[in-house]
Each structure stands twice: as structure tokens, then as C-alpha cells.
Amino acid sequence: MDRLKDQVLIVTGGAHGIGRAYCEGLAAEGARIVVADIDGNGADAVAAALGEAGHDALAVAADVSQPESTENMARAAMERFGRIDGLVNNAAIYQRPAVTRGPFEEIPLDEWDRLMAVNLRGVFLSCRAVVPHMKEQGSGKIVNISSGTVFNGSAQMLHYVTSKAGVIGLTRALARELGDYNINVNAVAPGLTVSMDEHDEEKEIRFQTRMQARSLKRLETPQDLVGAVLFLCSSDSDFMTGQTMVVDGGAQMH
Ligand SMILES: NC(=O)c1ccc[n+]([C@@H]2O[C@H](COP(=O)([O-])OP(=O)(O)OC[C@H]3O[C@@H](n4cnc5c(N)ncnc54)[C@H](O)[C@@H]3O)[C@@H](O)[C@H]2O)c1
């Protein structure tokens, strides 16, 4: 299948979890993938596995909260592939490292700041590094990963939910700024997804509770999210921008 044939797509946070599934799913449609992650070894491993499967992939160690790092990410993509067709802003503080859950008054200030720097500033910085190349090409697709927690108003992780709400605002406003350059900016809001190997009892309860709140009563897997991201990276979504696709088995009807 070649729906993304030869397109160059950067996936931030591509070394683990759902980001890895995006890398694999987009590569399977013919895309050349830049796996960018703060875990450089993890990114190397994913790029190597993609290479072994016959795909073209590049690993870049990148901390999306740092401007030099996102500039380097874009430069490395340009040096290797000569163009950037898409950017999937997936990197976030969520599980690796784990976000602190609890009453909002107890969120450590430094965790609030670090989380905003990665989850929100990281999206801004990655866009800032990549957009000049897209403008020059006259096209581009940006897909920002938000979260269903925004629509649910999920309690006990105020900083995370706030950062992901910011991602939706950024998506809408940036879509307006970049429309004249034929650059689409959209968001995907996943529901609670099984993206870690290890599970403890508390997580299991959360998964079961969320499952019961869905129209489609089953666990959500990383694979469930690939189709929406693929669609937003492909020409099938050429006339869609500033939108948020909620992929959560019908928990939120947004
Ligand atoms: N898993 C879920 O239930 C769920 C639900 C809704 C939204 N999301 C969102 O989907 C995305 C992926 O979720 P996941 O469960 O795979 O998360 P995860 O925590 O397992 O993976 C995040 C990835 O981002 C990388 N990363 C962390 N900080 C980084 C930084 N500063 N620079 C570059 N890379 C960095 C990590 O190394 C990791 O590879 C996140 O944006 C998350 O907020 C997840």
C-alpha cells in the first residue's frame, strides 16, 4: 500500500508506545520516517527495525522542549531526505516519564513547567523548525496529538489536560496562519490507550472504567490511532485543517 509513497514524515516521540505504532503504520504506506525522540537509543532501535523491514528511516535524538534540538531535527531530516512533508507532534510527558496524578494543589511546580515545556512548547518549537521547509515546498501536513482528557475534563492531572487543551488551541490558530501556504494543521485526540507493556492494578481499573464509558466497549490500542494519523498525513485530508479528530471508541461525542 502506497498512500504516503516517498513522503518524508517526522514523528516525535517515535521510539515507544503509540509513536512507534505511527512510525510503523506510516512507513507501511510508503513514507520515509524520521524517528525523533529524547531516547536516542530507542529511536535508533525503531529506525533499525524499520530498515530491516525494508523501509527508509532515520533516527534523531531530540528533546522537543529545546529549540536547538528541534532545529537539529529538521536539519537532519533535510540533509538526509531533502524535504519534509509531514510532522506528527506526538512526544509528550505522559507515561515515559510518568505524569504525577493527584489533586491539582499538589502538582510540583517544576513538573508543571517541564510538562508545559515538552507537551506544548515542544509542539510550537517542532512546528517552528519544520514550517519554513514546508513553506518553501508549498505544502505540508502537521498532526498534533492532543487527548480525549480535554473533552472529558479528566481530573487528577490538571497540568497534562491543560497542556493538551493548549495543543488544540495551537492547532486551530496555526491552521489559520498556514492556510495560505497550503499547510494543513490538524489534531488527533486519543482515548485511554494501552501503550505500555506493564500493567498494575490501578491502571487496570482505569482501563476497565474507561472501556465501559465507550460506545465501542473494548480496550483502545495504538493500532486504533494509526488510521486517523495516516488520513491526516495523506492527500485524502487536503481540504481539512484546524480540526480535532477524537479517536476513543465513542466515549466523547465531540
Ligand atoms: N496512552 C494514552 O492513553 C494516551 C491517551 C491520549 C493521548 N495520548 C498522547 O499520545 C502520545 C503518545 O502517548 P504514549 O502513551 O505512547 O506516551 P509515552 O509516554 O509512552 O511515549 C512518549 C514518547 O515521547 C518521548 N518523549 C518524552 N519526552 C520527550 C521530549 N522532551 N522530546 C522528545 N521525545 C520525548 C518518550 O521517550 C516516548 O517515546 C502522547 O502525546 C500522549 O499524551 C496518549
Side-chain angles (χ1 to χ4, degrees):
M1 298 230 272
D2 280 335
R3 275 184 287 178
L4 300 173
K5 190 161 173 45
D6 294 334
Q7 286 201 32
V8 177
L9 306 178
I10 299 176
V11 180
T12 70
H16 300 284
I18 307 173
R20 182 177 182 140
Y22 296 147
C23 292
E24 292 166 350
L26 300 172
E29 290 291 341
R32 296 174 283 172
I33 306 291
V34 179
V35 187
D37 204 288
I38 198 167
D39 175 4
N41 292 334
D44 284 341
V46 172
L50 290 175
E52 278 163 28
H55 306 300
D56 203 354
L58 170 73
V60 181
D63 178 351
V64 295
S65 70
Q66 300 303 318
E68 317 76 51
S69 201
T70 51
E71 292 296 333
N72 179 57
M73 173 180 83
R75 198 167 38 246
M78 289 302 292
E79 278 173 14
R80 168 73 176 265
F81 296 116
R83 57 184 298 114
I84 300 171
D85 298 291
L87 167 67
V88 181
N89 280 310
N90 166 78
I93 291 183
Y94 179 54
Q95 300 191 102
R96 300 177 180 90
V99 72
T100 302
R101 290 169 192 265
F104 83 94
E105 306 96 314
E106 292 172 18
I107 295 171
L109 200 55
D110 58 350
E111 185 175 314
W112 176 283
D113 288 344
R114 176 69 188 146
L115 191 140
M116 290 298 166
V118 175
N119 295 16
L120 198 45
R121 192 174 78 196
V123 177
F124 158 62
L125 290 175
S126 298
C127 291
R128 205 179 67 170
V130 158
V131 161
H133 304 290
M134 292 179 167
K135 281 185 176 174
E136 209 161 297
Q137 290 161 199
S139 65
K141 301 274 191 181
I142 296 174
V143 182
N144 298 324
I145 305 301
S146 178
S147 167
T149 58
V150 174
F151 302 100
N152 190 44
S154 301
Q156 306 281 304
M157 44 177 180
L158 192 80
H159 46 347
Y160 177 78
V161 178
T162 305
S163 73
K164 291 295 181 177
V167 168
I168 294 175
L170 182 154
T171 298
R172 293 177 175 195
L174 193 59
R176 293 246 185 237
E177 281 199 39
L178 296 180
D180 287 344
Y181 301 94
N182 195 30
I183 299 172
N184 307 57
V185 190
N186 291 292
V188 171
L192 185 65
T193 303
V194 187
S195 60
M196 295 282 276
D197 297 335
E198 329 82 63
H199 275 277
D200 54 35
E201 201 178 325
E202 186 236 311
K203 264 192 195 149
E204 210 50 58
I205 294 168
R206 215 179 316 131
F207 275 107
Q208 291 302 327
T209 311
R210 194 53 63 86
M211 194 168 84
Q212 291 312 319
R214 291 191 172 126
S215 305
L216 305 169
K217 289 189 180 42
R218 66 164 173 80
L219 294 178
E220 179 161 355
T221 68
Q223 204 51 43
D224 287 317
L225 292 154
V226 172
V229 172
L230 166 61
F231 167 68
L232 293 174
C233 289
S234 78
S235 57
D236 288 346
S237 59
D238 276 355
F239 202 53
M240 189 173 158
T241 196
Q243 306 304 312
T244 299
M245 290 176 72
V246 179
V247 183
D248 69 352
Q252 313 295 324
M253 304 269 175
H254 130 89

